[in-house]
Amino acid sequence: MSDKKRIEELREQIRRHDSLYYQKAAPEISDQEYDRLFKELEDLEGKHPKWATPDSPTRRVGGDPLEAFETVRHEVPMLSISNTYSKEELVDFETRLKRALDLEGPFEYVVEPKIDGVAVTAIYEDDLFTLGATRGNGVEGDNITVNLKTIRNLPLSLPLKKMGLKKLEVRGEVYMTSEGFTTLNEKREEAGEEVYANPRNTTAGSLKLLDPKLVAERPLQIAIHSFGRMAMSKETEPKPWDSHSKLYERLAEMNVPIVPDWSVHIGMEGILPLVDEWAEKRFTLPFETDGLVIKLNYFRLRENAGSTSRSPRWLIAYKFPAEQAETTLQKVEIQVGRTGALTPVGHLEPVKLAGTTVARATLHNADEIERKDLREGDRVLVEKGGEIIPKVLASLPDKRDGSQKPFRYPTECPSCGGPIVRPEGEVVHRCENIDCPAQLRRRIEHFASRRSMDIEGLGTKLVEALLDQGLVKGIPDLYRLQKEEVAALERMGDKSAQNLIEGLEQSKANPPSRLLHGIGIRHVGEHVAEVLCGSVRDLRDLETKTAEELEDIEEVGPVVAQAIQDFFATEHNRRVFEDLADLGLNFNCVSDSSGTAPLDQVFEGLQFVLTGTLPTLTRDEARDLIKQRGGKVTGSVSKKTDYVLVGADPGSKAEKAENLGITMISEEELREALTKGF
Ligand code: IVH
């Protein structure tokens, strides 16, 4: 098969698998197989840049980080929906409609879940996705086209021409599934980062990120629920739909993700029982919902009903009441996580709520406890709304009998007695002692995990046994273990003890970036660890770097710099580092871990900036080629820049380089210079 045909075939296959995965939740292939198809397409497109198309799945993520979002004006304002919490008001809504339309009814409605997400609009013109924007104030929003492109279930093109359409603006909610949100938080915990509070705010925050590469890492999805402007190719052509249900059917045919579980009903009477049905059913949806939206089905009637300045008269949202219950806050327990984050957890007298028995609730942090004046023994109001975790809403001070004392947040770690710090600007308190027993178990598991030091045979059970027997009191102790003492542990034999000792021995030679990741400094995940290792000769050099020096390293910002400084501020942590070096672990960041001879430093002292899509190299590959030869790659063009490597669709950096008279080179020119320099 010709490369051209294969490219087309791969694009089709990837789109199909995206749809199976996101729309139908029925994937047919594994993630690895998907990645393989994607890589093959990337390679072929790299080989034949002339066949690149803007709607190829490979074009979802790309471009430089933006400096700011442009403002866009919505051609049709993005209005909101009037809310109600009562069935009576739903009946009133219908009465008002009858009056406004001067019709007896009954009307046809579409009922569908109200997704607790972030409203956006997506414009398609001549079959291509051309503009995406946030709702903003309803009149003007931010141009977030590059961010929306990263959302894998949003089509990058639509067969509009076939329907006689020139332009179509669809609107919907961007959201995270409950599962996607949980996985994201697990990964953050793993990297020692703070977990996010709820999917909606995290979605809003994700869409505001200026770097589309970061947005692509967030598990965002979209569901379309309405449309803005549309234009037919010829004025005279009939519109392809005259009702909401037809619109959904047509959109679904084009593989546009629409709000799931919609249904058509005649008359409000038939909808009232549905409201009760959904009070439970909502918890079975894969995303958070806070209500139902009830929409008049026929567009002609909608036009006649009109809008107020805030919301159309033809639809209404029925909001589910958050279920509440009263119970006793028996005790506040402070839990210590792997990274030392302290989380207050409320133990409750068990109470039935939203279909489950609730006995615990997160109290978030010290500020929240103080703000709500929560005291042990208090009667409290708990609520379970859309969120999975119940929350304590308020205490009921009138019900106190005098035995309840204001809660004092501990000043020492409840697990190790070590000091507690609260980093500036953060709400979470932390224990900074790396060997705090509560943290230690999870720290060691992380240190031994596949993506860190990958120590064969060191699983959860064994870590627990080693800690229980007092054989290990800190990470360095692992490397001091004797085969005999390990073999003497329950369920261990000579053979497994030998395997562990060998596994540990082998891990000593791991690249230092794995060691750095394994140590578990906050915000230092796999990638940051690699970046940091690329900037020093020996891992211990990180100890003496000032915050400014750390921030000078590309991709290192103030948060990472501060986390590193906080880590080394503790003497104990510095000792752990020294111990590991003495025990023979690999701290050497200079030697090439692949064992090949170091390359000639032909780019020594030169500064490069990359912009645009390169014909064959990814950005990371280009960066590595430069760095391996002693060059430096920075994020923005300045007078200090020596060369700007320019690919297709370059950003503003190319313009700036031109203004400053900086030499611009192509990938080919870079390749030519790799051995002899410029
Ligand atoms: S229809 C006039 N359908 O809720 C707006 N909106 O609180 C017509 N929302 O800004 C929108 N789920 O972004 C519609 N199934 C749904 C929805 C939905 C969530 C959002 C929408 C709107 C907000 C109003």
Side-chain angles (χ1 to χ4, degrees):
M1 185 187 301
S2 72
D3 282 357
K4 184 146 196 266
K5 265 235 126 52
R6 181 69 184 148
I7 288 180
E8 276 159 16
E9 186 180 85
L10 283 165
R11 284 179 189 154
E12 243 353 276
Q13 281 182 6
I14 291 171
R15 285 190 193 116
R16 184 168 159 269
H17 291 303
D18 278 342
S19 159
L20 283 169
Y21 187 93
Y22 290 103
Q23 257 91 289
K24 315 212 164 62
E28 281 178 7
I29 57 172
S30 68
D31 287 0
Q32 280 113 307
E33 280 172 280
Y34 180 91
D35 291 345
R36 221 176 11 238
L37 294 177
F38 204 89
K39 176 88 180 40
E40 188 186 344
L41 178 58
E42 267 180 339
D43 289 349
L44 283 175
E45 287 182 342
K47 198 167 139 200
H48 307 287
K50 58 177 184 295
W51 293 329
T53 56
D55 65 337
S56 169
T58 57
R59 299 290 290 264
R60 287 200 178 273
V61 191
D64 292 334
L66 304 176
E67 262 146 40
F69 296 117
E70 282 167 20
T71 301
V72 281
R73 211 179 161 79
H74 303 303
E75 274 189 61
V76 178
M78 291 181 77
L79 300 179
S80 61
I81 311 180
S82 58
N83 287 330
T84 173
Y85 287 88
S86 83
K87 289 185 190 167
E88 290 76 46
E89 283 184 24
L90 288 182
V91 176
D92 293 348
F93 162 79
E94 181 163 61
T95 313
R96 277 198 306 277
L97 259 186
K98 285 181 182 165
R99 213 177 309 128
L101 295 172
D102 199 15
L103 286 172
E104 261 314 295
F107 304 121
E108 211 171 281
Y109 301 100
V110 169
V111 180
E112 59 188 46
K114 185 170 188 300
I115 302 180
D116 200 8
V118 177
V120 299
T121 185
I123 298 178
Y124 292 81
E125 227 172 327
D126 295 325
D127 287 5
L128 280 184
F129 171 57
T130 52
L131 180 79
T134 59
R135 175 174 184 270
N137 58 12
V139 178
E140 285 180 340
D142 287 339
N143 179 339
I144 53 160
T145 311
V146 287
N147 288 354
L148 287 192
K149 269 188 167 176
T150 68
I151 300 180
R152 292 247 300 269
N153 71 339
L154 180 78
L156 295 179
S157 59
L158 290 182
L160 296 182
K161 272 187 215 110
K162 274 198 214 153
M163 287 198 191
L165 280 164
K166 168 135 189 72
K167 176 172 175 175
L168 177 65
E169 175 176 10
V170 289
R171 291 173 171 178
E173 295 294 293
V174 177
Y175 64 94
M176 279 183 195
T177 60
S178 310
E179 196 188 335
F181 177 70
T182 309
T183 314
L184 175 70
N185 264 348
E186 279 167 4
K187 280 198 202 142
R188 287 183 66 86
E189 257 206 304
E190 171 82 349
E193 290 160 351
E194 232 159 81
V195 296
Y196 295 120
N198 69 59
R200 206 210 80 89
N201 292 356
T202 314
T203 301
S206 302
L207 289 179
K208 290 209 182 94
L209 292 170
L210 291 166
D211 185 350
K213 274 203 183 126
L214 298 179
V215 184
E217 289 170 9
R218 303 286 171 90
L220 299 176
Q221 295 198 35
I222 191 167
I224 300 302
H225 53 47
S226 51
F227 68 97
R229 219 175 90 69
M230 65 191 272
M232 307 304 296
S233 313
K234 284 197 221 93
E235 290 280 317
T236 49
E237 284 203 45
K239 301 232 166 83
W241 42 69
D242 60 358
S243 67
H244 196 70
S245 47
K246 285 260 173 53
L247 166 75
Y248 274 5
E249 280 162 13
R250 294 289 99 78
L251 290 179
E253 278 162 22
M254 292 193 276
N255 257 334
V256 174
I258 48 174
V259 173
D261 285 289
W262 59 277
S263 51
V264 182
H265 302 266
I266 298 171
M268 194 57 81
E269 283 301 309
I271 292 174
L272 299 180
L274 211 71
V275 162
D276 295 324
E277 225 174 88
W278 270 101
E280 288 299 321
K281 198 168 151 193
R282 58 187 284 219
F283 295 110
T284 62
L285 286 172
F287 48 78
E288 289 189 355
T289 162
D290 54 355
L292 294 175
V293 186
I294 299 150
K295 307 171 171 179
L296 202 55
N297 196 15
Y298 285 96
F299 295 149
R300 197 176 44 79
L301 294 184
R302 287 187 182 183
E303 272 163 38
N304 293 344
S307 301
T308 69
S309 64
R310 283 198 58 245
S311 49
R313 288 199 189 88
W314 47 262
L315 89 173
I316 190 161
Y318 172 84
K319 298 280 272 274
F320 300 122
E323 282 197 49
Q324 294 185 356
E326 193 189 310
T327 185
T328 305
L329 174 63
Q330 293 169 324
K331 194 170 155 289
V332 178
E333 184 199 357
I334 306 288
Q335 289 187 345
V336 189
R338 166 170 77 80
T339 58
L342 305 192
T343 316
V345 176
H347 289 251
L348 309 168
E349 182 190 319
V351 60
K352 273 248 179 249
L353 192 58
T356 52
T357 303
V358 174
R360 284 150 59 90
T362 170
L363 305 177
H364 299 292
N365 53 55
D367 285 357
E368 281 293 292
I369 296 181
E370 196 174 325
R371 196 174 60 77
K372 294 176 183 156
D373 185 20
L374 300 176
R375 306 180 182 186
E376 286 178 332
D378 261 350
R379 290 297 283 172
V380 291
L381 218 48
V382 285
E383 180 180 284
K384 197 163 167 190
E387 294 102 15
I388 309 123
I389 307 164
K391 57 183 175 212
V392 174
L393 274 189
S395 58
L396 303 169
D398 291 350
K399 301 202 169 169
R400 284 182 186 144
D401 61 9
S403 67
Q404 297 84 359
K405 297 273 171 305
F407 181 73
R408 282 194 194 289
Y409 216 75
T411 50
E412 290 169 355
C413 170
S415 173
C416 69
I420 285 175
V421 297
R422 179 174 173 173
E424 222 180 279
E426 289 187 20
V427 288
V428 174
H429 287 73
R430 292 180 183 278
C431 164
E432 290 282 311
N433 172 11
I434 191 177
D435 284 337
C436 163
Q439 297 173 46
L440 193 56
R441 196 186 114 202
R442 296 196 54 203
R443 267 186 192 279
I444 292 182
E445 280 171 19
H446 169 73
F447 184 80
S449 68
R450 205 169 48 78
R451 309 191 79 133
S452 302
M453 293 297 270
D454 194 15
I455 301 168
E456 206 47 61
L458 190 53
T460 311
K461 283 259 155 13
L462 183 53
V463 173
E464 227 165 76
L466 291 169
L467 292 175
D468 283 353
Q469 293 304 311
L471 294 179
V472 169
K473 294 200 171 66
I475 288 174
D477 290 341
L478 290 172
Y479 293 94
R480 299 187 183 106
L481 286 170
Q482 301 296 320
K483 188 179 132 191
E484 296 69 34
E485 52 188 12
V486 178
L489 293 171
E490 226 175 285
R491 280 195 298 273
M492 288 294 281
D494 258 8
K495 182 90 182 76
S496 32
Q498 180 65 29
N499 285 348
L500 176 70
I501 303 291
E502 276 171 16
L504 282 160
E505 200 52 37
Q506 270 170 23
S507 76
K508 287 183 179 175
N510 280 346
S513 57
R514 281 172 162 260
L515 171 58
L516 187 60
H517 175 224
I519 286 285
I521 302 175
R522 291 186 64 216
H523 304 295
V524 180
E526 270 175 285
H527 178 67
V528 173
E530 277 169 22
V531 168
L532 288 168
C533 286
S535 72
V536 289
R537 307 191 134 258
D538 185 288
L539 269 193
R540 279 162 294 183
D541 294 348
L542 290 172
E543 281 182 33
T544 50
K545 282 207 184 279
T546 62
E548 290 76 37
E549 285 169 337
L550 288 166
E551 282 186 51
D552 274 346
I553 304 169
E554 202 201 350
E555 296 189 70
V556 173
V559 175
V560 172
Q562 186 62 48
I564 294 169
Q565 296 244 296
D566 287 349
F567 179 83
F568 288 117
T570 311
E571 199 211 312
H572 181 87
N573 292 343
R574 292 199 298 271
R575 197 152 5 99
V576 167
F577 238 55
E578 278 308 319
D579 279 358
L580 290 174
D582 290 346
L583 285 159
L585 278 83
N586 181 10
F587 276 60
N588 183 356
C589 301
V590 181
S591 76
D592 189 6
S593 54
S594 64
T596 50
L599 296 162
D600 280 346
Q601 301 293 291
V602 289
F603 295 161
E604 181 92 60
L606 295 180
Q607 275 200 20
F608 293 75
V609 171
L610 315 180
T611 180
T613 313
L614 300 172
T616 70
L617 292 171
T618 66
R619 235 158 222 260
D620 287 341
E621 284 165 352
R623 190 174 288 138
D624 285 349
L625 288 175
I626 294 168
K627 281 187 172 170
Q628 285 158 1
R629 288 159 181 80
K632 206 173 154 193
V633 179
T634 61
S636 56
V637 177
S638 73
K639 278 192 227 131
K640 287 199 211 141
T641 311
D642 295 291
Y643 293 100
V644 176
L645 176 58
V646 188
D649 298 335
S652 58
K653 291 177 188 174
E655 218 170 287
K656 194 161 174 201
E658 189 148 18
N659 291 338
L660 291 173
I662 292 163
T663 314
M664 291 194 257
I665 54 166
S666 65
E667 179 185 314
E668 208 180 327
E669 286 168 298
L670 176 79
R671 284 183 183 281
E672 278 166 16
L674 289 177
T675 43
K676 298 203 175 63
F678 289 98

